[in-house]
Amino acid sequence: MEIGTGVSAPRTARGRVLPPPGGEQHGEPPSGRPRRTRPVSSPGELTGRVSTARTTDGRLCEARNVSSTGRDRAYGADGGNRLLDRVLAGTPPERSPVRHVEHLSERPARHGEWPDWAPDRLVTALRARGTERPWIHQLRAAELAHGGENVVVATGTASGKSLAYQLPVLTRLELDSRATALYISPTKALGTDQLRSVAGLDLPGGRPATYDGDTPNTERDWVRAHARWVFTNPDMLHHGILPRHSRWSRFFRNLSYIVVDECHTYRGVFGSHIALLLRRLRRVAEHYGAAPVFVLASATVAEPAELGGTLTGRTCHAVTEDGSPRGGRTVVLWEPPLLEEVTGENGAPVRRSAGAETARIMSDLVIESARCLAFVRSRAGAELAALGARRSLREVAPELASRVAAYRGGYLPEQRRELEHELHSGELRALATTNALELGVDISGLDAVIIAGYPGTLASLWQQAGRAGREGDGALVVFVARDDPLDTYLAHNPEAVFDRPVEATVLDPGNPHLLRPHLACAAAELPLDERALEEFGGETARENVTRLTEAGELRARRNGWYWTARQPPHHSVELRGSSGQQTAVVESDSGRLLGTVDPESAHGLVHPGAVYLHQGESFVVDELDLDEGIALVHAEDPEWNTSPREETDIAVLRTLRQLRTSNGLSINLGEVEVTSRVTGYLRRLPSGEVLDQLPLDLPERRLATRAVWYSLDEELLVGSAPGGAGLDPARIPGALHAAEHAAIGLLPLFATCDRWDIGGVSTALHPNTGEPTVFVHDGHPGGAGFADRGFAALFPWLAATREAIVACDCSAGCPSCVQSPKCGNGNEPLDKAGAVAVLDVLLAERTDAAPA
């Protein structure tokens, strides 16, 4: 069952950009689809009037001037409009890239008073840092945590959630000289930022310290023996702390608070791992006599109390009323123009790339002295955007070129921290970043945020957008659409961005495929007993302990189950689903280590001939040694960039269960092997023009997992008699592809998974089945149980899939029905009507399905 979907995107005033007379009707809804007016949350929440105004590009638009205070405002926040004027300067109205402008109204601050229980020294330190009074959500969450209640504070980006847990934790550390606290963040950068915030208060006796993969060995003994507030991440907790908990006995004996930051990132398989990890953590703390209070923080989450309870295994109270101030924001949906006399693959027209457009916007904003972040979907894209902005600035304001940089994963820790400091201090005006800066690193109050390409979820989009805006000043947010169907749809359908609720946060700690290895880890930490099994899921946990015992991994004794091997099993459990060594990127001439690349990305990012970008410098890869985990590069600045081309196949290894019908439908569950290989790469000019395609000889990557699949006799698809789909053979690939996408989107309703936990393949003729076939497979080695659940609920799942497609008002398919944000084929070909026909055939066969 999904965690609920009750949190909406910010309520706003709609200002729809209209085209000039006779121009193209950008943003026109599909035929018969009415425009919807978004309801306000409560009577009197928003007041205003409808008027017409001329947008910054000269077009007429309808705008509802809305204010949360009930007073009419100008068209929007002046700051955002002024910056939008700047980036559109010189653009003729008929060539404007703006497809829609949305105005998010200003929100005033609502304060509380410092609680009586907070020590004077702490309050004085917080005031000296600039916090004169707490906001209402900070106070409410702190009161709950101080009173011993587990709490989730789920308020907007940059709403000061840190104070909500700093206040009760630092109070406890101040009043009890033995008390300790643990802070857990999904990234090392966020943990470092929060440590800096606490250390900056300079409170005697607090002794905060980091314990993560970057902590030198010489410091680790001191942290275990003396630190009182330890800042770590799930990986270090799993690999470095819990397996050796006896060395942490002082710390665990006095553990008062566990802070889990950015808890909305713990979703899908990763989230399920973290939920089980937190149960193990709580169990170890209780072994030493502690009963820590959980404080969870998140910027965007649906049903926060439910999520907190699922993650921690304890009842949690939600705090969602946001008392922080927010300046007005102007949010722009931006579609780059088509390029003249430039063609892409197979002679197709191409748009100016989102990265190149982002670079131009960044340079304009830097000239305006605006501080901005540009979120780009890939590491290479972030480097290219920063490089492009620097080149533009060198032409018009060379003294500003050095004030733009890139930030991404793979940088060395000291490089990341230096960049964060420079943006904080104002030395840098703009950073092009991956989602490495999406989370709670304290970089907020910016003048502008650019989002180059849809980040995959609305939760991520609003998290990134929330970096813009400061009290009393307007800010600009620009969503730059990439040249793909999903981004194009969003640019032309604002209601899909502004009216839809954020996605559900889905996780399932009861998944037996994940539970079993965590039970082994728990038994290696402390013997399992009946009480522990209840904490880990009751009957499901007992069944898995029985299997572990039968396999000889656990040994049953009178007082519980014990781990039998000498080495603990922790190394075999990868919380993030990644395994294998990192690839080091090394400059050949100097031996300088530039950064690292994870094993899943090495084939695509550092293959021979790849252009590798690092902090604005360009390198070309000479050699990739996968066995040694080294990519050798040399400095070079070619006129092109590179992008890999990949092929994916799926093979059936073993069919475990099968249903068949008399008309030729086969439904299967089994073990499969997914094979992918980077076969070559394109060299492109910055304009997007393809120079050539070069072959590569790289090894295949294989994923052994589980899948559910169905195959049909082709007569069922092309036959026009009752029971047949009546499809032309040329439509079969698009029909199967669309049905696959829609099914992947609906499986989370039945399998308690996340769309990013599963994958799919469709083919008009699969070599193992000899028939048109659609596969949906788990995206994790060995499987995670999602395909099994899909097989068990196949016909209700397919019925819901058909209903979702038919209920969508679009004519040819859109992200709400058959398009996928992660399609490796660019959502081509897709046949929405054909998908419905295929599903009709499948559902008509349900009464005839029987075990083979």
Side-chain angles (χ1 to χ4, degrees):
M1 183 174 180
E2 286 189 314
I3 306 274
T5 58
V7 176
S8 298
R11 302 269 182 206
T12 67
R14 176 57 46 87
R16 190 169 305 285
V17 176
L18 302 179
E24 183 183 354
Q25 285 265 253
H26 293 297
E28 183 67 16
S31 177
R33 184 174 185 175
R35 291 292 187 197
R36 292 178 288 119
T37 301
R38 188 168 44 258
V40 297
S41 294
S42 59
E45 177 192 348
L46 301 175
T47 62
R49 59 184 175 81
V50 178
S51 63
T52 58
R54 193 166 294 275
T55 65
T56 52
D57 62 359
R59 299 183 180 188
L60 286 175
C61 75
E62 179 185 279
R64 185 178 301 274
N65 299 318
V66 180
S67 168
S68 58
T69 62
R71 299 188 302 254
D72 282 344
R73 292 178 51 82
Y75 185 78
D78 289 338
N81 284 335
R82 177 176 59 81
L83 292 175
L84 181 57
D85 283 337
R86 177 65 186 90
V87 298
L88 286 171
T91 304
E94 66 276 7
R95 302 193 64 180
S96 172
V98 174
R99 297 293 169 257
H100 178 78
V101 177
E102 190 93 357
H103 299 287
L104 281 66
S105 56
E106 186 178 16
R107 181 180 64 208
R110 288 180 291 164
H111 291 98
E113 299 298 333
W114 293 109
D116 295 338
W117 45 262
D120 291 341
R121 183 160 52 184
L122 173 57
V123 172
T124 300
L126 292 170
R127 280 178 167 158
R129 192 173 65 182
T131 306
E132 188 59 33
R133 288 187 297 161
W135 293 318
I136 57 170
H137 63 279
Q138 296 171 325
L139 183 60
R140 174 62 178 157
E143 291 277 12
L144 285 168
H146 178 73
E149 302 287 348
N150 303 307
V151 61
V152 184
V153 54
T155 52
T157 308
S159 61
K161 290 180 291 294
S162 300
L163 183 65
Y165 53 77
Q166 287 176 3
L167 188 56
V169 172
L170 291 171
T171 294
R172 184 61 181 267
L173 297 183
E174 179 80 3
L175 299 179
D176 181 351
S177 62
R178 295 176 301 174
T180 61
L182 184 67
Y183 170 94
I184 305 168
S185 70
T187 66
K188 289 187 285 189
L190 175 55
T192 300
D193 186 76
Q194 288 300 305
L195 173 66
R196 183 167 51 233
S197 173
V198 171
L201 294 171
D202 197 25
L203 294 170
R207 297 202 299 270
T210 298
Y211 194 86
D212 61 23
D214 296 336
T215 305
N217 287 332
T218 54
E219 294 181 15
R220 295 189 180 191
D221 287 341
W222 185 93
V223 174
R224 283 191 294 265
H226 302 291
R228 300 186 61 207
W229 194 350
V230 173
F231 291 73
T232 190
N233 53 59
D235 312 271
M236 181 55 81
L237 181 62
H238 171 67
H239 290 288
I241 296 178
L242 292 182
R244 302 169 182 86
H245 61 80
S246 61
R247 303 180 68 186
W248 291 81
S249 58
R250 173 203 65 90
F251 183 84
F252 281 120
R253 190 176 299 115
N254 300 291
L255 186 58
S256 301
Y257 286 100
I258 298 172
V259 177
V260 183
D261 210 352
E262 300 293 357
C263 66
H264 73 284
T265 63
Y266 300 131
R267 65 180 191 180
V269 166
F270 180 42
S272 301
H273 275 301
I274 301 308
L276 291 164
L277 177 68
L278 292 178
R279 283 158 174 75
R280 288 166 43 205
L281 168 62
R282 199 184 69 228
R283 180 169 172 258
V284 167
E286 291 172 354
H287 170 73
Y288 288 98
V293 172
F294 281 93
V295 184
L296 295 87
S298 172
T300 311
V301 64
E303 297 294 340
E306 275 193 57
L307 174 60
T310 306
L311 275 173
T312 66
R314 290 289 182 264
T315 300
C316 290
H317 299 271
V319 175
T320 58
E321 188 177 5
D322 194 336
S324 64
R326 186 187 66 196
R329 282 179 287 171
T330 299
V331 184
V332 180
L333 304 185
W334 183 293
E335 184 178 45
L338 287 169
L339 297 171
E340 298 177 2
E341 300 179 0
V342 175
T343 57
E345 295 179 75
N346 304 317
V350 297
R351 293 190 180 276
R352 180 177 168 87
S353 73
E357 198 82 336
T358 296
R360 185 184 72 77
I361 297 171
M362 284 176 68
S363 61
D364 286 343
L365 291 171
V366 168
I367 291 171
E368 286 294 296
S369 298
R371 292 173 65 235
C372 67
L373 278 180
F375 288 98
V376 187
R377 291 192 58 180
S378 69
R379 292 181 174 187
E383 295 278 6
L384 284 169
L387 196 59
R390 284 181 172 179
R391 285 173 177 165
S392 296
L393 289 167
R394 287 192 189 105
E395 297 176 3
V396 295
E399 71 280 3
L400 296 176
S402 62
R403 305 190 73 173
V404 178
Y407 182 107
R408 58 171 175 78
Y411 281 1
L412 302 178
E414 55 270 24
Q415 294 171 334
R416 293 196 304 268
R417 289 163 190 170
E418 182 180 358
L419 288 168
E420 293 163 20
H421 170 74
E422 289 176 351
L423 188 62
H424 272 290
S425 66
E427 295 174 57
L428 286 175
R429 288 190 185 170
L431 271 183
T433 179
T434 59
N435 62 359
L437 283 180
E438 177 182 317
L439 300 181
V441 176
D442 187 18
I443 296 175
S444 59
L446 299 171
D447 301 296
V449 163
I450 308 160
I451 303 171
Y454 186 58
T457 66
L458 284 174
S460 289
L461 186 143
W462 289 117
Q463 178 87 343
Q464 293 174 4
R467 293 286 178 207
R470 65 182 79 178
E471 185 176 7
D473 292 325
L476 176 67
V477 177
V478 183
F479 166 67
V480 181
R482 293 185 307 153
D483 190 11
D484 73 48
L486 176 57
D487 283 30
T488 301
Y489 173 85
L490 294 173
H492 288 267
N493 293 270
E495 64 274 10
V497 176
F498 298 102
D499 291 355
R500 285 171 50 203
V502 297
E503 298 81 3
T505 303
V506 182
L507 64 151
D508 179 14
N511 185 321
H513 297 269
L514 308 181
L515 176 59
R516 195 173 307 141
H518 278 276
L519 287 169
C521 292
E525 291 155 6
L526 294 167
L528 292 170
D529 55 21
E530 281 295 334
R531 181 171 177 270
L533 297 189
E534 286 299 322
E535 293 284 356
F536 281 101
E539 191 57 38
T540 303
R542 290 186 186 89
E543 292 173 2
N544 281 275
V545 164
T546 299
R547 293 191 180 188
L548 288 168
T549 304
E550 291 171 349
E553 297 180 56
L554 296 184
R555 181 176 293 122
R557 290 288 184 261
R558 183 179 303 174
N559 59 339
W561 290 264
Y562 289 73
W563 177 247
T564 59
R566 176 172 297 179
Q567 292 297 323
H570 298 68
H571 68 279
S572 63
V573 180
E574 291 294 339
L575 304 180
R576 301 176 191 265
S578 175
S579 60
Q581 65 177 335
Q582 297 280 311
T583 296
V585 183
V586 178
E587 189 175 21
S588 302
D589 296 339
S590 65
R592 178 168 58 122
L593 175 64
L594 299 177
T596 59
V597 178
D598 61 75
E600 289 82 3
S601 304
H603 292 240
L605 291 181
V606 289
H607 58 74
V611 176
Y612 179 81
L613 299 173
H614 179 77
Q615 290 192 326
E617 296 181 74
S618 179
F619 301 84
V620 173
V621 179
D622 298 314
E623 180 184 349
L624 172 62
D625 188 330
L626 292 169
D627 292 331
E628 295 296 328
I630 295 177
L632 297 176
V633 304
H634 70 271
E636 183 181 342
D637 190 10
E639 62 178 350
W640 60 81
N641 55 66
T642 55
S643 56
R645 283 293 173 265
E646 189 168 3
E647 293 180 352
T648 302
D649 291 311
I650 191 166
V652 177
L653 301 178
R654 186 160 65 113
T655 301
L656 301 174
R657 297 180 63 187
Q658 185 179 67
L659 300 174
R660 296 194 67 90
T661 71
S662 57
N663 288 334
L665 169 65
S666 174
I667 303 160
N668 306 268
L669 171 70
E671 297 170 354
V672 299
E673 184 175 67
V674 182
T675 305
S676 58
R677 187 166 74 92
V678 174
T679 59
Y681 64 99
L682 299 181
R683 297 195 300 177
R684 297 179 187 268
L685 295 174
S687 65
E689 181 179 358
V690 175
L691 290 177
D692 53 20
Q693 179 168 337
L694 300 175
L696 287 171
D697 184 20
L698 289 175
E700 296 176 335
R701 287 165 293 154
R702 298 176 182 273
L703 171 68
T705 187
R706 290 164 77 98
V708 55
W709 69 93
Y710 58 82
S711 56
L712 307 90
D713 188 314
E714 189 171 342
E715 279 300 310
L716 279 173
L717 296 177
V718 301
S720 56
L727 295 175
D728 185 282
R731 294 179 61 191
I732 291 176
L736 295 176
H737 194 196
E740 171 217 326
H741 279 185
I744 289 173
L746 268 291
L747 184 54
L749 290 176
F750 299 89
T752 322
C753 64
D754 185 279
R755 184 171 194 145
W756 272 253
D757 293 326
I758 51 182
V761 175
S762 59
T763 174
L765 180 63
H766 192 270
N768 292 131
T769 66
E771 295 176 323
T773 307
V774 171
F775 293 86
V776 176
H777 65 82
D778 290 2
H780 301 269
F786 305 137
D788 297 63
R789 298 184 185 198
F791 181 85
L794 181 80
F795 288 112
W797 169 29
L798 295 181
T801 301
R802 182 192 184 279
E803 182 180 345
I805 298 175
V806 172
C808 185
D809 292 330
C810 74
S811 57
C814 72
S816 296
C817 55
V818 300
Q819 289 184 353
S820 168
K822 59 172 190 166
C823 179
N825 296 321
N827 284 299
E828 289 291 343
L830 290 176
D831 186 334
K832 176 181 177 178
V836 174
V838 169
L839 291 167
D840 282 339
V841 168
L842 293 170
L843 293 170
E845 296 288 310
R846 78 176 100 186
T847 57
D848 193 28

